[in-house]
Amino acid sequence: MAEVLVFHHGHGLTTGIQEFAELLRQAGHTVHVPDLFEGQVFDSLEEGIGYAEKAGFGTIIARGTAAAERPPAELVYLGFSLGVLPAQKLAQTRPGAKGALLLEACVPVPEFGGAWPQDVPVQVHGMDADPFFAGEGDVDAARALVETAADAELFLYPGDRHLFTDSSLPSHDEHAATQAIHRVLGFLDRIK
């Protein structure tokens, strides 16, 4: 079974993120869920992103990097939206990475230097009309990643919701989230 480090999105460490992590645990995986917002959870994404901007995105990434120092290096990094920043950085730069699961965001690979590591499988999930994922270039970055990485998949779900995988938010889409969870679990089952 895989060991997974999960990074939350811009609302903070919501009950929906905790429930997602629990589904992975129930499937037999070891899961770590650090709180990048130091206990703060925001009702709106705008408030959460405002907090991240005030703290500094570099600080948020540094908190994620610090959280990766405790578990063993052989981790799968999973990020939701804002949490993709530390997840993708660690998957690309930290030796021993076993995989990456990027949900509802993807950063151009050159942002974290060089090419995607050929021995690190990756999945990217997002809605095809999500104003953030599809409208701000993340889907283009995901397509470029899939074209260049040795083991990469992009899953697009019909809809325009951002954070569709979080069961505690109004944007939750049960059908798409169930598909995403099924694919994430299949990915983790392949990790040796």
Side-chain angles (χ1 to χ4, degrees), residues 6-161:
V6 175
F7 297 109
H8 62 75
H9 50 64
H11 283 272
L13 185 52
T14 62
T15 57
I17 295 295
Q18 294 171 1
E19 288 170 9
F20 195 102
E22 187 55 33
L23 289 172
L24 303 182
R25 288 184 188 105
Q26 289 172 5
H29 304 289
T30 301
V31 182
H32 309 274
V33 190
D35 186 346
L36 304 179
F37 282 7
E38 299 179 324
Q40 297 191 63
V41 177
F42 298 94
D43 291 332
S44 77
L45 187 57
E46 293 75 23
E47 289 176 305
I49 296 302
Y51 169 82
E53 287 173 345
K54 186 175 179 182
F57 290 110
T59 298
I60 301 300
I61 293 170
R63 289 175 186 169
T65 301
E69 292 174 3
R70 290 180 219 106
E74 295 76 26
L75 292 168
V76 174
Y77 299 100
L78 188 158
F80 294 88
S81 190
L82 176 69
V84 164
L85 293 173
Q88 187 171 335
K89 178 186 182 209
L90 288 162
Q92 282 187 236
T93 63
R94 188 171 188 230
K98 300 296 275 182
L101 293 154
L102 311 177
L103 284 80
E104 308 187 60
C106 185
V107 177
V109 171
E111 287 291 320
F112 298 117
W116 189 265
Q118 293 302 303
D119 60 342
V120 179
V122 58
Q123 279 187 354
V124 184
H125 300 260
M127 285 199 155
D128 61 3
D130 171 352
F132 297 99
F133 183 75
E136 294 184 357
D138 294 65
V139 70
D140 298 324
R143 286 185 176 121
L145 172 58
V146 168
E147 287 177 14
T148 59
D151 185 356
E153 297 174 287
L154 169 60
F155 296 104
L156 292 175
Y157 305 86
D160 62 358
R161 297 181 183 185

